[in-house]
Every structure is written in structure tokens, then in C-alpha cells.
Amino acid sequence: MSLAVEATGLTKSYGKLDVLTGVDLAVPAGSVFSLLGPNGAGKTTAVRILATLLRPDGGQARVAGYDVIRQRRQVRGAVSLTGQYAAVDELQTGAENLRMMGRLSGLSSAAATRRAAELLERFDLTAAGNRRAGTYSGGMRRRLDLAAGLVGSPSVIFLDEPTTGLDLTSRQAMWQVIAGLVSAGGTVFLTTQYLEEADQLADRIAVVDHGRVVAEGTPTDLKRRFGDQRLDLELADRTGWEAVAAHLGGRVVQRDPERLTLGVTTDGSAAHVRAVLDEIDPGRAAVRRFSLHSATLDDVFLALTTVKEPAHV
């Protein structure tokens, strides 16, 4: 398997603050890889090291086959990095932004013009190409920013929370763009605060917490291994709700006293669901209705960010 990104034992500290404490990563070429973690877990620091913007204190990393320390120039020629905020010149038109990036990348004037036209069409911006970028919507600016990063045809695209602040429609449009990048042969390294985004896009996910990877696998694998099924119960009255909540204690993972609902973990089997219902409602009068839900990445994320020892799928 060809790896577009590989890292072993990456560490990074700022004074007494340990940001990365030994991160290992392996990203197959031609895939979407998502790095998840709570704020301050080290996601952006890892991306900046891999994109050669920061030097690690320890460990090794290669991107597109090049060492991020000894071959920084080659790495920079093979990657693009799009951050959380669009970095476009709002006084220039969309086409002018892309032509400028082409010239800065070493393209001739004619080649930069051709490349700009290609990218405007690819990102559905042709009609707006001669408008100032300052008049673009948030989603359009993000697409233009991503297009600017692709002027040099990078093989590895780092996207650090690219849909932050976008509405659902614009986010879904970006999802289509990201899927298209991989279909065209690229590798996408994605960090995001939207867990459903990683679930929708990523072939593999790594969860980082306190500066280290605590789990890695496909979204399905992670949900199967770390996320329990959840049995949602709606109680008939407040007295019954309070009694069942007290009886289940720490097994309750969600509670809503206004709606008289409780969520309890279960393995999802009919036998276990039946056992829970018999346990809390032997008279079959306290529970009005129930439903069973599969684990989501939200459930996995909450479980993994409290894991004490690394676990790998």
C-alpha cells in the first residue's frame, strides 16, 4: 500500500506544554483521512508539521515520499494547505486570484490563465469569475480558496477545518468538492469539528487526545468497536421517570426530564433489550415506548477522548 503521509513518534512542545507526545500516522494515497480530536488536542499542530510550517521536536514524517525536515522544498511542492479561513484577495476577481497564484507557482501568463479557467469551471465559479471575491458568499470564498491551493496540482491536500462557519448547504457543496479531489487521484488530510463530516467523507479516521492518537480505523470499525447501541426510553409519567433514572444510575447516557426520556447503553441484541425492559418495568406500565439507535461518531468521540491507553482498529 502506497502511503501519502506517514509519521512516527511526532512530538512538539511549547515550553512546558506538551502538544504532541508521540503521534503515529499512516495515510494511504488516494484516500480521505480525517484527524479528529477536542480543541487543543494537537490537530492543527500535526497538520502544520506535516505541511513543513513547524519543525517537530522529535519523530519522523514523510509526505508524498519526502522527509518533512530534510526535504521541505519538495514537500511544499507536493502539497497544499487550506486553513479555517479563506485567504483570498477580496479586491481581486476570482479569476485574478487564481491567475496570481499561478504566476507565483511559476506558470507562464498563458498557462496561469488556462489553469484559472479550469479551476473556475471545476469549482462551479465560472459565472462569478469576473466578480470581486469580496462579493462572494462564504461558501464561494471557501471554494475559491481551495481552488487557489490546487493551482500547482498538489498530490496531498491538507484541509484544516475547511467548512467552519459554513451553512449546511455550503458544507455539503464542499463535501462534493472534497470527494471530487480524491476521485481525481489526490489524497485529502482533513481535520474537522463536524463529526458527521468525517463520517460522510473519510476512508479512515484517527482520533487524537492529549497529543497522541488514541484510536484509528474506518468510521464503521470505530463505531462498532467503541460505540454502544443506545436504547431510548420514554416513560409514562414523571414519577416513573425519576424511579427508572435512579435505578439505572450510571448506565444512563442521555436524560431529558421535560420529555420524560432516558438513553441507556445496550449491546443491541433483542435479549439484552428485553432484559433491560423487564428489569426497569416488570409491570409493563412505566415505559410508554422505546427505540434503538446505532452508535454515531459523536458517541465514539466522547468515549475515545476519555480513553487512557491507545487503542487501534
Side-chain angles (χ1 to χ4, degrees):
M1 178 178 60
S2 175
L3 295 179
V5 178
E6 48 187 323
T8 305
L10 287 184
T11 62
K12 184 66 180 179
S13 300
Y14 297 98
K16 295 182 179 180
L17 178 62
D18 296 327
V19 180
L20 300 180
T21 57
V23 167
D24 299 333
L25 297 170
V27 180
S31 69
V32 178
F33 184 92
S34 184
L35 190 64
L36 302 180
N39 290 336
K43 303 186 299 297
T44 296
T45 297
V47 168
R48 290 174 65 83
I49 288 173
L50 295 172
T52 76
L53 298 180
L54 282 178
R55 188 182 183 95
D57 296 333
Q60 298 178 330
R62 299 180 70 84
V63 176
Y66 301 111
D67 186 278
V68 298
I69 297 175
R70 294 184 292 103
Q71 298 172 296
R72 294 172 64 195
R73 186 173 181 179
Q74 291 92 326
V75 172
R76 291 182 178 184
V79 308
S80 73
L81 171 61
T82 298
Q84 299 178 27
Y85 306 102
V88 298
D89 186 341
E90 296 190 349
L91 297 179
Q92 294 192 97
T93 67
E96 288 170 342
N97 269 279
L98 297 181
R99 288 199 297 268
M100 177 184 68
M101 291 303 298
R103 296 292 282 152
L104 290 173
S105 299
L107 298 180
S108 68
S109 178
T113 298
R114 287 195 299 271
R115 184 62 173 155
E118 292 170 2
L119 290 168
L120 287 171
E121 181 176 2
R122 181 175 177 181
F123 287 87
D124 195 24
L125 292 170
T126 299
N130 292 321
R131 282 171 39 199
R132 286 193 306 106
T135 68
Y136 286 13
S137 67
M140 293 170 68
R141 282 196 296 270
R142 296 300 289 160
R143 298 206 306 275
L144 179 63
D145 191 31
L146 183 52
L150 298 178
V151 166
S153 300
S155 61
V156 180
I157 301 103
F158 291 101
L159 302 179
D160 190 13
E161 300 191 11
T163 61
T164 295
L166 297 184
D167 59 34
L168 179 58
T169 300
S170 297
R171 282 171 54 208
Q172 290 177 336
M174 281 294 293
W175 293 358
Q176 294 178 348
V177 168
I178 292 169
L181 294 176
V182 176
S183 297
T187 302
V188 174
F189 190 109
L190 171 73
T191 73
T192 178
Q193 61 179 312
Y194 302 113
L195 299 184
E196 77 275 17
E197 187 164 89
D199 201 0
Q200 173 82 14
L201 295 172
D203 299 297
R204 292 187 69 81
I205 292 171
V207 181
V208 62
D209 190 30
H210 294 95
R212 60 192 178 93
V213 174
V214 295
E216 183 179 346
T218 68
T220 299
D221 288 339
L222 291 175
K223 285 184 283 189
R224 183 183 298 120
R225 181 166 182 179
F226 296 103
D228 293 320
Q229 298 277 330
R230 191 181 76 242
L231 178 65
D232 287 345
L233 307 166
E234 181 183 335
L235 282 302
D237 54 46
R238 183 57 178 258
T239 300
W241 184 91
E242 292 176 348
V244 171
H247 178 81
L248 291 173
R251 285 184 284 171
V252 176
V253 293
Q254 287 188 353
R255 61 183 73 212
D256 187 339
E258 297 300 320
R259 297 182 179 180
L260 300 178
T261 60
L262 296 168
V264 59
T265 57
T266 173
D267 64 10
S269 69
H272 190 252
V273 170
R274 188 178 297 113
V276 171
L277 293 173
D278 288 343
E279 175 188 351
I280 63 175
D281 189 16
R284 302 189 178 185
V287 177
R288 177 175 293 157
R289 59 176 60 91
F290 69 89
S291 58
L292 190 64
H293 298 275
S294 298
T296 66
L297 273 187
D298 296 70
D299 302 318
V300 174
F301 183 84
L302 291 173
L304 287 175
T305 53
T306 61
V307 170
K308 300 304 181 183
E309 295 297 332
H312 295 279
V313 177

